[in-house]
Each structure stands twice: as C-alpha cells, then as structure tokens.
Amino acid sequence: MSAPSTLPLALTPTIHHDTTEENLSSARTEFVAILGLENINDDLEACAARSGSRWSEASPSHKASLIVSPHTTQDVSEILKICSRRRIPVTPYSGGTGLAGSLAATRGGVCVDLSSMSRVWDLHESDMDVTVQPGVGWMDLNAELAENGLFFPPDPSPGAKMGGMIAMGCSGTNAFRHGTMRDWVISLTVVLADGTVVKTRNRPRKSSAGYDLTHLIVGSEGTLGIVTEAVLKLTNVPKNPHIAILPFSDTHLAVETAISIISSGEVFDAIEFIDHRSLEVVNQSKLFPDQWREVPTLFIKFSGADETTKAHIELIKDLAQKNGCLELSLSSDPTQVDAWWSVRKLMGKALVTVMKPNDIFLASDAAVPRSRLADIIVETQKATEDAGFFCSTLGHIGDGNVHVVFFCPPEKRELGEQLIKDVQKRALRMEGTITGEHGIGLSLRDMLLEEIGDSGVDLTRKIKLALDPYCILNCDKVVRIEA
Amino acid sequence: MSAPSTLPLALTPTIHHDTTEENLSSARTEFVAILGLENINDDLEACAARSGSRWSEASPSHKASLIVSPHTTQDVSEILKICSRRRIPVTPYSGGTGLAGSLAATRGGVCVDLSSMSRVWDLHESDMDVTVQPGVGWMDLNAELAENGLFFPPDPSPGAKMGGMIAMGCSGTNAFRHGTMRDWVISLTVVLADGTVVKTRNRPRKSSAGYDLTHLIVGSEGTLGIVTEAVLKLTNVPKNPHIAILPFSDTHLAVETAISIISSGEVFDAIEFIDHRSLEVVNQSKLFPDQWREVPTLFIKFSGADETTKAHIELIKDLAQKNGCLELSLSSDPTQVDAWWSVRKLMGKALVTVMKPNDIFLASDAAVPRSRLADIIVETQKATEDAGFFCSTLGHIGDGNVHVVFFCPPEKRELGEQLIKDVQKRALRMEGTITGEHGIGLSLRDMLLEEIGDSGVDLTRKIKLALDPYCILNCDKVVRIEA
C-alpha cells in the first residue's frame, strides 16, 4: 500500500472549529491585550461589509463575528497563534474588491482586516524594487512611485490592495506586456496558519534557491498564509505614451488584427477589446463626453523612443488598412491618451448606470488560447443575447482573457448562472481556463474539478491541509474541505 | 497545542528505503514487464555516469543500481507506483548538465532516464506555444522552431534538456529580457511519488485557477514529481539582431553602464559581463580567432525594427562616451553577431583548456540586487586572487547573477570550498541569493538555511513529505531529511 501524494475529499478528516460565544469572547480578550481595544471591531454591519459586496455575493450567515486590525507581521502571527490554538476560522480582508466569493466568512470567526497595514518603504531606485504592506492600494503606490519615474504595472479594480492582489494572483490591462501579479512579486513575508513567519526569498531578481514558495502563496487566495510584507518589482513609467483606437465591423477582424500585432514581435503595452454592447453602455452612461461608434473596437497602448513608436504606428496603419478598420484614431497627447484609455477603465462605472436596483451582477472571466478568443466572444454573445440578456464583453486580448458581464433580474437567476457556466465550459473545451484573473474563491470550486481534474484538486487539498491542518485560513475557498 | 504548518528536521520521521538486492530484482522484473528489456539498463558504468559529472561531483556510493527508460507518462506512473510500493528511491535524469549535485543517487535505487522521451508536438503558431517531453534539448527545440520563426528563450548549458531545466528553474543569458524557465512554462504534466498523474493547468497564457501547481514543480529539483510533458510559451525569433561590445578600464564603470541601460526603459535582449580574467582565458584557449582586450567588458544584444535599434545604438553610444568605454564595437551583421556572442557561450570550453587533469571545478552562482553587483564581483575577485586562485567571473548582469569559476588542485580543496562559501555569504549580506540559476541540490542545503531561515526550510520539508511521504523522489536534495 503506497502513501498517497494527494488527498481526495472522501479521505479528508472532518474539520472542527470552535466559534462558540465563549471561545470568541476569550479570544477577543487576548486580541485586546495584543492589539489594543481600538483595533478590535465587533460591529455587525462592519463584519457583514467585509464578507461580501454587490459584486461578490455572500450568504447572510457567511460573516465574521469580529474584525481585528493588525499593524505588524508580529501582530498577525499572534492573531493566528490564538486562532489556531482556539480553532477559530479566519478570513483575511484588504481592498474588498474580489469577485469570486473569496471574502465570505463561510464559518464565521475572525476577519483579519489588513487595510491598516499600508506602509511603503525601502524603495531601491537602481534595483527597481520596493517593499509594501498588504493594505497598500496599487493606485496610491503608483502615485507615490511616479515622483521617481517608477511604475508598478498590475492594474486590477481601482480599489484593490496588495493583500488581495497577491492572494488572487490578479492582473489587468497591463498584463499583456508586463505579466500578472505573479511576475511582479519578488518575495513575501507570510504568516502561516500556526503563526510561523516565513520569508520566501531574498531580494535579487532571479533565484533558484529551493521551492518557489513565493508563487505557492501568490494566487492561493489566503488559504495558505496571510501576506504581511511584499517586495515588489518595479519598472519605468512608460515614456512617450501613445494610443490607437481601431473600430471594426466584425469581432473576428478585430481579434485577427490584435493577433497580427502580437505576432509582430514588437513590444506593445496593452491591447484591449471592447465590444459594441459595451460601447453602447458607455454612450448611454454619458460618463465620457464623446460618443463612440458602437462596433467591436481595439484599444492599443504603446510607448518608447520616437523611433520605436514610429515603427509601431506604421505597423498599426498597415494592419488597419489590410483588415478593414473603419476609422483609425491615434494620439500621443498625454491628456488624450489618458482620456481615451479611461473608457476601458470606467466600464465598471458605466455598467452600474444600466443596472436595475434588484439586478444580480453576473460575470465570467474565462481565458482561452489567443487563437480561440474570437470564437468564445462570438459564441458567448450569441448565447447570452438569444437568452434575452444585454451582455457586455471586454477582453484583455493579448492574454486571451475575456470578461462577459451582464445583469440578471432575480427571477432569471438560474438561467443567468447557467449562461455563465456555459462560458466557462466553452473555455474548457477550447483548452482555456474558467478564470483568467478573478480566482476560484467559493463560486468556482466545482468547475475547478473540470479544469484540473480530481488529481489536481486532490493535490491542492493535500497542500492546503499539510500547511493548515485545522483549516482555519479562509476555509472552503479554492477547494471543498467537506462534501 | 496547535498543529504545525512546518516540519522541523528534529520532528521528521525516519525514512526507510528498501534497496536490498531481492527487492530491486523483483522491481526489475516488474519494470521489464512494463517497459521491455530494452529499456532497462543495469550496467554499473552507465549508472555511475548518470549520478554525477566532472561539474557535479557525486560520492562513489551515490549511484543507482538500475536505469529505466520510460517513453510515456503512463510508463513513469507505473514506475513510480512500483518504487513507492517497494520503497525504492528514484533519481530522475535528463541532460545531466546540473551543477549542484542534483544527479547524485544518494540512496541508490533506480535512475529514471527521461532522455528517450524526446517528442515535440502540438505547435500552435498563433498561440505561440508547443508541447514537449522532458528529454527534448533546448537547442534542438530552437532549431526546429526556427523554421516557423519561433523561439524558446531559456538558454542554460548547451546539453541541458527540458526535464532538468524545469526541475532546476534554469535560465541563461536571455533571462534578462525574457525571464527564466519559470516564465516559459505554461503547464506541466507531472507524475507524483505515488504514481498519480496531475496536469497543473490548461493552455491559456493567463490563469487564476487555483494554486500555482506549475510553479510549485518548476525549481523543485525532481523532489515533488517527475515532469513528463510541458506546454511551453514561445516568442518570435529576434529580428534584426545587433551586438555591442563595450570594454572598460574598471568593473564599476561597466556595471554602472549596464544599470543605466536597464534603467532607460528601452528593451534590450541580453546584457552580459565578462571579466578580464575570462577574456584572458578566451585568448589563451585560441578558440576564438581574434584576441580580446583583457579588461572588464559588456556584451549587449538587442533587436527590433530599424527605428528601434537606431534608438538603442544612440543610447549605447552616449553611455559609452559618458562612462569612458575604451572602444565601442557594434555590429548588425548576423554572422558577426553570432560570432561575437559565441565568446560568452564558449567560456565553459575555454575554461576547460586551462584546467589541469586533477583540478576540481568550483563555481558559485550567487545573485544580488543589481546595485550590489559590482561590489560582489570586485570583492570576490580580490579574495580569490589573494588566495592564489585564477578566477573567472561572468555575470548575467541584468539579473544581478554572477558566476565565479575557478579550478582547484586537490590539496587546496578546503580553501577553495571556503572561498565559494564566502561568495555565497557575501551575496546573503547584500540581500542576495546563494544560487541564481543552478539550484540547491545536495551541495547548498545548509546554506539554504542561511538564506530562507529555519521556517522557510521547514516549510519546504513539510511540502516535500506531504507529497512524498516515503521520500522516494530525489531524496536528500534541496532539504535534509535526516540530520
């Protein structure tokens, strides 16, 4: 009989937590001794606000009983020692912008709110790195770095903070050129479930020193440890930014143009696809002064020395003409570049303007090999509109990642959820993933089985319970711990 | 009492293997039934040849008793099921170019030679990815890809094969622009210790689907599983390649120039540093027709559209003049580019020409934050030469990775090994790593403790034994399993 390398659900020991009032109250006394009364919050509304959002539904029972606000790695270590000893489940919180149900405190217990840990220090300009705490927002960080001409590329939701960005392995529009969060974390200080503090790595750009503990933590959605410090890579603020906007009569033409640009070997900063419905929403929202042609459109950013950007412009002009672009708009005026690019960034806000009060927000975040991107977009648009939904489709096209977003009246929830599952299944048939950047959380656990199979999920569970045997850290996320 | 998230050495259970002749002979019968007699080899010399090399010493007792040559994932799974059931240690082998003692079969048993698994298939040109088996060499792969204008960047030792490249998280000169092996693996098919087959991920460029199992395996040095298939990212063959060679009177001037180039924000392909001693060796070896100025020298590669490379040339010319470059050589003639670049690539061969028959090869592979690169080079050169060794220093300068190589007569072994340890300690003092690309293997396990601390090593050991409870996979590598 051989020792198993994985842990199937059927063999998983039953998890026992203790969230009795008595145990939580004793824990509270210990927290107060460590953190002071001012860093403990047991307001019910505050607890609920940290367990979900309009974009990430949580059942009303899925909320913590207590919020603790640590300020240091040592604080987090003491908190986890207490929770581990007392078998109290823990849900970490930073920016609260997660979409996959990762905020839900499925088993109550304690919310560790990292938003007070918002220091930035040790900026090394010539090494191009900086150290941050998990409560730092990426937009705030970039505002600070800009003074030194430096730039941190990952650009998820504007409110996202480093703790959640690392936990979810997030990305955004800059991932096409610069890669995802995984590519911008040099090292992490992590507190494990039992309070042990691990520094995953030192500060050089490259290392082969042992297992890649850094990347085991990035994307583990707070289930393996709480990140308390991160050393991040930086790059230069893009010089001489340009934007090109290419509307097409047809999705396939837009995607083919993007693939030709990618295959050219030249370096572009971002290539985004916005569909006709999304531009209809932007126009309706009146958030942007000009009206956009409501057709499938590429938004392309590039930068560099004059000679470099001239070469880019030539390439874009050639392809625009060859592939029947309806009208090419180009600008290198920084204000215009920011304004046009903001169309992509204000999509979230624009969508809210067409959302009815009771509508449920439904979104898919599938990613496919680039060659299948046009197929998944067209098939999904058709299926969703055939079912009577107004669907907005946005693509991080260079990464093959497509966001399909629609609002669903409560009475059509089942149909709406089925349509989202259909997008994910379509992605899997195309050798893609159910989630390009939003993570598994609570809502995609069963679909993860279809993506990486029983053995992949069982391996994940084995790792989870090896590092967190009492399953106190963000229990029930990524993989099921009980049937 | 809380459940530990890590596994200290003192609490590690004793590992029992069974390498009795009887057990191995019974296993052999089972292997023959699965693989056929032609894929079993128990020649003693062949076993020794797969357990070490002149560059990676193994004690004479550290060799396997049997070599098995699987052809499929299923073969590897069956082999590991047998070894797991019979508690037979397994050492994987592909190209045999590892430097850190990772080939040594410390506990005898079976060598799984993956070099027969050398298929390349599923080349997706527009997605820019390809699937390979672990016995594929990177130079062979690039020769095949060149027909389609595609390119796989990681460029370690010429004989290296994918299995070892993935296991060690290797890199090479192209890592500056393109990153290391970690950045070029999309997904892996891995056989775990108990024979379970896991596919870590699907084929899109980007995914947030669960733990990053791919990067848990990359760099795990064959201790967590045997890779049987890899989907690799590809890029375009660099167009219009250029080379610039910049000799300086002083190491600091060379490194400062490199840092200015890196900080420019322009995209260069590779920036290598070769010291005066290394160029002395090249001249002595007569492997290269011309004689080189024996001073600290930068070798820089770049490519792209004419406009792009013109901008690069202007930048290099400016910096060369400002920083007192002794003589700038530039070429865009493809034959000349290859010839000049070959100087970096033939350093290994050149060094062998000055090695005496009994000399021991000693090398350090430390990496530091870039700003400390000149310091570590100068301090190390001085210490080594003061101790009477002729030391060659080569740097992947963009990554802060520096190779210090020297040959040591057997009677000076202790001093030589101390000097290597001193380089590693120097790197750690500079917040660097003991290994930028060669890995921990057998020889750096105790130094790893100084780099990531007890808690990091104990976490590594916890993961190792969770996935491989009988410790059959490349036992004793990366972390100690017994005191």
Side-chain angles (χ1 to χ4, degrees), chain A residues 1-6 81 84-85 87 124-129 168-172 175 177 180 182-183 192-213 215-216 218-221 223-224 236 239 259 262-267 304-305 307-308 310-311 365 367-372 396 398-399 401 427-428 430-440 448 451-452 455-456 459-460 462-464 466-470 478, chain B residues 1-6 81 84-85 87 124-129 168-172 175 177 180 182-183 192-213 215-216 218-221 223-224 236 239 259 262-267 304-305 307-308 310-311 365 367-372 396 398-399 401 427-428 430-440 448 451-452 455-456 459-460 462-464 466-470 478:
Chain A
M1 160 77 206
S2 83
S5 299
T6 63
K81 277 180 196 164
S84 184
R85 177 164 39 82
R87 311 280 203 281
H124 297 102
E125 283 188 62
S126 54
D127 294 328
M128 298 169 111
D129 61 48
M168 307 313 282
C170 77
S171 46
R177 169 162 180 183
T180 73
R182 295 169 205 271
D183 301 302
L192 303 178
D194 68 353
T196 302
V197 178
V198 174
K199 189 172 171 207
T200 58
R201 201 178 166 287
N202 265 342
R203 203 163 59 78
R205 285 285 165 133
K206 201 171 89 175
S207 172
S208 278
Y211 294 179
D212 190 346
L213 301 175
H215 290 97
L216 178 63
V218 179
S220 66
E221 306 195 12
T223 63
L224 297 180
N236 302 98
K239 275 179 204 155
I259 290 180
I262 293 161
S263 308
S264 71
E266 293 298 314
V267 178
E307 292 80 357
T308 310
K310 266 184 216 157
D365 160 49
V368 292
R370 282 192 292 250
S371 60
R372 304 306 305 275
H396 302 312
D399 305 314
N401 189 194
L428 293 179
M430 296 176 180
E431 296 181 75
T433 176
I434 53 176
T435 172
E437 56 185 25
H438 296 165
I440 298 296
L448 182 63
E451 179 159 342
I452 60 170
S455 63
L459 172 58
T460 303
K462 180 86 175 190
I463 296 167
K464 161 66 179 171
L467 271 58
D468 180 12
Y470 298 148
V478 186
Chain B
M1 159 79 208
S2 82
S5 299
T6 63
K81 278 179 195 164
S84 185
R85 177 163 39 82
R87 311 281 205 281
H124 299 102
E125 281 187 63
S126 54
D127 295 326
M128 297 170 115
D129 61 46
M168 307 311 283
C170 77
S171 46
R177 170 162 179 184
T180 73
R182 295 170 204 271
D183 301 303
L192 303 178
D194 68 353
T196 302
V197 178
V198 174
K199 190 174 170 205
T200 59
R201 200 178 165 287
N202 265 342
R203 203 162 59 79
R205 285 285 166 132
K206 201 170 90 175
S207 172
S208 277
Y211 295 179
D212 190 346
L213 301 175
H215 290 98
L216 179 63
V218 179
S220 66
E221 307 196 9
T223 64
L224 297 180
N236 301 96
K239 275 180 205 155
I259 290 179
I262 294 162
S263 308
S264 71
E266 293 298 313
V267 179
E307 293 78 359
T308 310
K310 265 184 214 156
D365 160 50
V368 292
R370 283 193 290 250
S371 61
R372 304 307 305 273
H396 301 313
D399 306 313
N401 190 194
L428 292 180
M430 297 176 181
E431 296 181 74
T433 176
I434 53 175
T435 173
E437 57 185 22
H438 296 164
I440 299 297
L448 182 63
E451 180 160 340
I452 60 170
S455 62
L459 172 57
T460 303
K462 181 86 174 192
I463 297 166
K464 162 66 180 172
L467 272 58
D468 180 14
Y470 298 148
V478 186

Side-chain angles (χ1 to χ4, degrees), chain A residues 67-95:
Chain A
I67 303 162
V68 295
S69 296
H71 287 74
T72 64
T73 298
Q74 195 52 40
D75 286 350
V76 176
S77 173
E78 294 301 327
I79 292 166
L80 291 191
K81 277 180 196 164
I82 293 166
C83 291
S84 184
R85 177 164 39 82
R86 295 185 172 278
R87 311 280 203 281
I88 297 174
V90 170
T91 310
Y93 179 91
S94 62

Side-chain angles (χ1 to χ4, degrees), chain A residues 185-313:
Chain A
V185 175
I186 294 178
S187 97
L188 296 173
T189 301
V190 191
V191 183
L192 303 178
D194 68 353
T196 302
V197 178
V198 174
K199 189 172 171 207
T200 58
R201 201 178 166 287
N202 265 342
R203 203 163 59 78
R205 285 285 165 133
K206 201 171 89 175
S207 172
S208 278
Y211 294 179
D212 190 346
L213 301 175
T214 312
H215 290 97
L216 178 63
I217 299 299
V218 179
S220 66
E221 306 195 12
T223 63
L224 297 180
I226 295 183
V227 171
T228 56
E229 283 183 25
V231 180
L232 304 175
K233 270 187 218 173
L234 304 173
T235 186
N236 302 98
V237 172
K239 275 179 204 155
N240 193 18
H242 283 60
I243 192 167
I245 300 179
L246 293 80
F248 291 89
S249 58
D250 172 277
T251 298
H252 277 97
L253 283 174
V255 174
E256 272 162 34
T257 304
I259 290 180
S260 298
I261 288 170
I262 293 161
S263 308
S264 71
E266 293 298 314
V267 178
F268 285 79
D269 291 349
I271 305 184
E272 293 287 310
F273 170 84
I274 305 188
D275 82 334
H276 60 298
R277 290 294 189 202
S278 306
L279 289 167
E280 206 177 316
V281 168
V282 171
N283 287 341
Q284 276 176 29
S285 75
K286 310 236 185 282
L287 285 171
F288 198 82
D290 306 328
Q291 289 286 296
W292 296 90
R293 201 190 278 248
E294 294 169 4
V295 294
T297 302
L298 291 180
F299 283 66
I300 302 175
K301 274 206 301 193
F302 51 100
S303 58
D306 278 342
E307 292 80 357
T308 310
T309 52
K310 266 184 216 157
H312 288 78
I313 291 170

